[in-house]
Amino acid sequence: MLNLVVCLKQVPMVTELPWDAKTGTLRRDLAAGMMNPACKHALEAALQIKEKFSAHITVITMGPPAAEEVLREALALGADRAILICDKLLAGADTYATSLVLTAAIKKECPKFDLILCGAYTADSETAQVGPQLAEELDLPAAAYVEKLEIHGRTLRVRRMVDNFRETLEMEFPALVTVSMENYRPRYTELMGLENAFGGDGVIVLGAAALGINASLFKNKGSRTKVRKVFLRKTQKENVILQGTASAVVTEFLNKYQRKISTAIGKSIEGKLNDEE
Amino acid sequence: MMKSKKKSIWVFGDYRNYYQNRVTLQLLSKAVDLAQTIKAEVCALVFGHEIDEWIMEYTAHGADRILAIDDPALKSYSTEKYLAIIENLAKERDPEIILIGATDFGREFAPRLAKRLKTGLSADCVGLDITDDGLLLQIAPSFGGNMLAEIVTELHRPQMVTVRPGTFKEIPHNYTRKALVERLPLMKKLPKSRVRLIEYERSVEKEHTIENASVIVCGGRGMGNRDKFKKLHDLARLLGGDVGATRPVVYSGWADHGALVGQAGKHIKPKILFSFGISGAIQHTAGLGEADFIIAINKNPQATMMKMADVAIIADASDVLKTLIKELKKRIRE
Ligand SMILES: Cc1cc2nc3c(=O)[nH]c(=O)nc-3n(C[C@H](O)[C@H](O)[C@H](O)COP(=O)(O)OP(=O)(O)OC[C@H]3O[C@@H](n4cnc5c(N)ncnc54)[C@H](O)[C@@H]3O)c2cc1C
Ligand SMILES: Cc1cc2nc3c(=O)[nH]c(=O)nc-3n(C[C@H](O)[C@H](O)[C@H](O)COP(=O)(O)OP(=O)(O)OC[C@H]3O[C@@H](n4cnc5c(N)ncnc54)[C@H](O)[C@@H]3O)c2cc1C
């Protein structure tokens, strides 16, 4: 029986999805959380392993109470056990602290794991640091950006593409991989399953204290990076603004910049002003 | 041991392919800047087998010191071996700062190194500076791309960051420069890699080459749909240029991944850039380098892309595109 752990993160959809066509701004009101896409691929990889071998899947997330949704979704898809690590103390953790907390949870709840699967990166901050740092904390052989996994006994063989090199790597369990979005296209959640999963309990909730983490310890062992300031970037250039009907602005633009464009494209568009039409 | 008393800024020499080597040169140039402010030396790390070429290259691009380990055991890249070597060297020499290129290799390697050295790591910095209190100021995008965050690592050393290729500009090489080259033996107890490299080959997939195009027509979500987006190719063809795209567009399948411009995609430096229906999130504009002349077309005059443009056209992107194609067809003389 293989013991798999999948780390999931809930991310807001804002950066890519809901967008108001009228005002051209993001609809923050529609910024619901979703399972991070690469995490979905990691879960899919685990589910495919489970279909082939006998396996048990634990899913873990650290996040606010609402992050429970992604765990329920994972249970509906076929995960066997779900753990939510939720504590105000942990808010704002950087990847150093996040990997520390996930490690504590894994050591407590599933110390006998064979394989940990993470997404390669998240859609909201995309540091791609948590997987490698977990591997370091747990002292595991690991590979990032994995596209394909094969298991032979206790040996894991993976394929990946890094910096234009196609690599095949092997390591022994226990191990860690981060899964890219090249392969393992996530399956759809069946509505029935989803409803059932949302109905039951079955999500284990752990606070920091349960993991042996208190404020003073976290101060020393937690986040290394500190955000001092967040600011709007300056972008205003001295520029020319053109406004009007499409044909008016295009004509004005071409007349004004014909020389510049001709030089750049190496063909002439000069001379012939808008006498025809 | 020759422990240098001067503060040291380390740059990881990532040389496996053209882009990796370029990002190393770009980081050296930034390191030279930073080193002036904090009176440090710039030190490049070069590990591998038969690496003299890189030692020369990094010297010519600004390194004051090179820590080199040339050994057949390092013939191919290995995260675990490099980790053990640098951990060892860093503990012995206490670098103030380590800069690592955000290549695939760097992005897997840097977080593990930071964890081993028990320090912080900022990903994908778009600016680096020194604060009044002498810390490395790590400027990184936040909140979807119109904000920047100033991050510091206050208490722990080294201060570590990764930087995407194309973010900084390399300084021209100077082959008369000299660096102190320390050729070090491979550490005695190099751990055996638990990850075995079974097979590797350079991918033959042809890379899209928009990096070198002098005219680029970029389109974003404001193009409305796939068919309208495809029209950008007509304009690009007329102008002898190439088409670029934003991430939502690539995710929607309107364009290939090879056309993605920005932090997660290509860095471009065209003479003329047309930007149709693009808001100008920093993850996108980070890839624009120094486009000489930018024309933005957007319905929203407040969009960042419009503010960054030399010519900002307030109009419907598809309408302008159609008209522009029609007009250019009339005007272009070969
Ligand atoms: C804009 C922005 C920029 C940031 N930059 C930095 C930075 O440069 N350095 C830094 O140290 N921190 C940074 N942070 C903080 C960082 O986002 C958090 O530490 C976060 O908990 C994990 O980082 P990530 O989302 O980048 O994860 P990634 O490392 O990109 O995630 C990879 C995988 O790790 C697993 N994982 C990640 N987070 C969780 C979780 N909470 N629960 C379960 N599994 C998880 C998932 O499998 C995920 O697919 C930043 C935050 C923001 C909002
Ligand atoms: C970690 C990370 C990495 C990222 N990397 C990249 C990257 O490499 N490259 C990248 O591009 N993005 C990247 N992104 C995404 C980025 O933050 C933005 O979401 C993206 O660039 C926005 O694309 P867009 O401008 O096409 O869409 P939007 O932001 O939705 O903007 C559309 C624009 O079109 C205008 N518009 C709408 N209708 C019309 C019309 N009819 N006529 C004219 N204008 C119209 C709107 O006013 C608006 O300004 C990344 C995000 C994250 C979090």
Side-chain angles (χ1 to χ4, degrees):
Chain A
M1 168 99 146
L2 285 171
N3 236 313
L4 311 178
V5 176
V6 187
C7 296
L8 303 175
K9 186 181 176 192
Q10 188 185 43
V11 296
M13 295 199 273
V14 273
T15 52
E16 304 289 353
L17 295 171
W19 166 74
D20 189 325
K22 268 204 198 111
T23 60
T25 53
L26 293 170
R27 298 271 312 266
R28 299 222 174 248
D29 52 324
L30 292 184
M34 61 176 185
M35 192 188 299
N36 174 56
C39 295
K40 269 196 167 167
H41 288 73
L43 178 62
E44 177 62 32
L47 292 169
Q48 288 188 21
I49 293 171
K50 187 176 164 182
E51 279 163 4
K52 233 169 139 182
F53 306 90
S54 107
H56 180 272
I57 302 177
T58 304
V59 288
I60 300 188
T61 192
M62 173 182 113
E68 185 177 333
E69 284 167 31
V70 300
L71 296 177
R72 300 245 173 231
E73 185 182 340
L75 288 172
L77 286 166
D80 301 292
R81 187 156 164 263
I83 298 166
L84 171 65
I85 311 161
C86 185
D87 202 305
K88 283 210 183 75
L89 179 65
L90 308 174
D94 68 3
T95 66
Y96 191 95
T98 301
S99 51
L100 184 94
V101 174
L102 290 175
T103 297
I106 291 168
K107 281 187 172 160
K108 176 166 190 292
E109 293 293 330
C110 22
K112 295 223 160 67
F113 66 88
D114 297 297
L115 177 64
I116 297 177
L117 301 101
C118 290
Y121 43 77
T122 57
D124 59 344
S125 37
E126 203 172 324
T127 65
Q129 291 177 183
V130 172
Q133 295 200 321
L134 256 182
E136 209 46 53
E137 282 281 354
L138 290 161
D139 191 21
L140 297 173
Y145 312 110
V146 164
E147 293 174 12
K148 203 149 180 17
L149 295 121
E150 270 173 49
I151 295 168
H152 303 282
R154 299 286 299 163
T155 303
L156 174 69
R157 172 180 277 233
V158 302
R159 286 178 54 81
R160 64 174 187 173
M161 172 88 151
V162 285
D163 295 321
N164 242 9
F165 282 84
R166 206 154 254 313
E167 295 184 344
T168 305
L169 306 169
E170 269 185 12
M171 61 199 98
E172 303 301 313
F173 285 147
L176 181 146
V177 292
T178 81
V179 179
S180 83
M181 298 206 281
E182 292 302 315
N183 203 346
Y184 295 115
R185 176 177 275 265
R187 64 194 66 192
Y188 285 105
T189 324
E190 302 239 354
L191 201 56
M192 263 311 283
L194 200 60
E195 275 169 358
N196 288 343
F198 273 93
D201 27 37
V203 170
I204 302 163
V205 183
L206 299 175
L211 298 174
I213 296 170
N214 58 39
S216 71
L217 180 110
F218 209 53
K219 212 167 154 223
N220 293 327
K221 298 220 164 153
S223 298
R224 265 41 184 160
T225 55
K226 186 170 161 192
V227 176
R228 281 207 173 159
K229 185 168 121 190
V230 175
F231 60 101
L232 209 61
R233 66 202 167 107
K234 286 198 217 64
T235 44
Q236 186 65 58
K237 225 190 206 177
E238 289 267 326
N239 60 11
V240 173
I241 295 172
L242 303 179
Q243 190 165 17
T245 63
S247 90
V249 291
V250 165
T251 305
E252 190 179 348
F253 168 70
L254 288 176
N255 288 349
K256 205 164 173 148
Y257 298 104
Q258 48 186 336
R259 174 148 307 147
K260 194 166 198 108
I261 297 170
S262 301
T263 319
I265 68 176
K267 298 183 220 176
S268 173
I269 62 162
E270 289 179 68
K272 221 172 169 188
L273 294 182
N274 53 328
D275 39 28
E276 41 191 75
E277 173 68 296
Chain B
M1 200 67 233
M2 307 191 269
K3 189 166 172 175
S4 52
K5 278 172 217 91
K6 214 173 170 182
K7 279 185 188 165
S8 191
I9 301 178
W10 287 11
V11 174
F12 176 68
D14 200 348
Y15 54 78
R16 189 156 58 163
N17 65 35
Y18 176 83
Y19 293 105
Q20 285 175 303
N21 190 43
R22 290 266 90 68
V23 74
T24 305
L25 303 182
Q26 291 153 8
L27 289 178
L28 281 168
S29 138
K30 189 42 126 186
V32 168
D33 274 2
L34 298 170
Q36 272 168 2
T37 317
I38 57 167
K39 309 222 168 7
E41 63 166 15
V42 173
C43 172
L45 310 177
V46 193
F47 311 134
H49 186 45
E50 293 167 353
I51 50 178
D52 286 357
E53 180 186 346
W54 312 112
I55 295 175
M56 238 172 63
E57 184 87 346
Y58 298 155
T59 304
H61 279 268
D64 303 309
R65 183 188 292 263
I66 310 261
L67 299 182
I69 303 180
D70 193 334
D71 195 291
L74 302 178
K75 208 166 150 218
S76 54
Y77 266 51
S78 156
T79 308
E80 284 174 300
K81 285 181 190 163
Y82 284 16
L83 273 173
I85 292 171
I86 302 186
E87 178 190 10
N88 212 29
L89 286 174
K91 285 187 173 158
E92 180 185 300
R93 295 172 186 241
D94 290 330
E96 185 69 9
I97 293 171
I98 304 183
L99 309 179
I100 297 178
T103 59
D104 292 340
F105 181 81
R107 278 162 61 96
E108 180 173 13
F109 171 72
R112 296 185 65 165
L113 183 61
K115 193 91 212 191
R116 268 194 204 189
L117 299 176
K118 301 192 173 8
T119 190
L121 176 67
S122 283
D124 300 332
C125 290
V126 294
L128 295 174
D129 210 334
I130 301 292
T131 63
D132 295 339
D133 44 342
L135 299 173
L136 179 66
L137 185 67
Q138 308 154 21
I139 302 175
S142 83
F143 297 114
N146 281 313
M147 308 287 283
L148 291 171
E150 291 186 357
I151 300 162
V152 289
T153 308
E154 281 180 333
L155 302 175
H156 299 87
R157 293 292 173 275
Q159 303 163 84
M160 289 182 58
V161 301
T162 62
V163 175
R164 296 272 183 164
T167 305
F168 300 126
K169 236 168 112 176
E170 64 194 68
I171 38 182
H173 60 239
N174 170 0
Y175 287 112
T176 64
R177 278 193 91 259
K178 294 263 177 299
L180 177 62
V181 180
E182 288 189 52
R183 290 180 186 272
L184 306 170
L186 190 60
M187 57 192 280
K188 291 221 174 57
K189 280 184 281 171
L190 188 68
K192 221 171 147 257
S193 274
R194 288 175 297 179
V195 177
R196 302 180 292 274
L197 182 59
I198 305 298
E199 214 174 69
Y200 71 103
E201 54 175 344
R202 199 179 275 271
S203 158
V204 289
E205 282 158 41
K206 233 183 90 210
E207 273 281 292
H208 207 88
T209 54
I210 64 173
E211 276 107 335
N212 300 317
S214 64
V215 178
I216 290 183
V217 179
C218 251
R221 186 149 38 179
M223 288 312 297
N225 62 42
R226 188 196 180 102
D227 288 342
K228 288 180 175 170
F229 185 90
K230 294 272 177 221
K231 285 239 162 25
L232 293 168
H233 290 275
D234 297 346
L235 180 60
R237 222 171 288 124
L238 278 171
L239 300 171
D242 238 314
V243 172
T246 62
R247 191 159 85 169
V249 158
V250 171
Y251 277 3
S252 317
W254 302 355
D256 301 336
H257 197 272
L260 180 64
V261 172
Q263 179 188 301
K266 299 287 160 60
H267 289 257
I268 56 175
K269 39 180 188 310
K271 292 207 181 79
I272 296 198
L273 171 70
F274 286 91
S275 177
F276 284 92
I278 292 178
S279 61
I282 196 168
Q283 291 91 351
H284 174 70
T285 61
L288 301 183
E290 302 107 59
D292 288 342
F293 187 65
I294 302 178
I295 305 108
I297 301 91
N298 199 308
K299 286 213 286 211
N300 175 7
Q302 298 306 324
T304 308
M305 203 59 235
M306 294 286 269
K307 298 186 181 168
M308 290 176 67
D310 297 279
V311 182
I313 301 180
I314 309 170
D316 181 85
S318 293
D319 287 354
V320 170
L321 177 62
K322 259 189 289 180
T323 319
L324 191 56
I325 292 169
K326 204 171 94 199
E327 269 303 305
L328 277 170
K329 279 187 178 156
K330 285 196 249 165
R331 293 186 187 219
I332 289 182
R333 286 172 291 160
E334 297 294 328

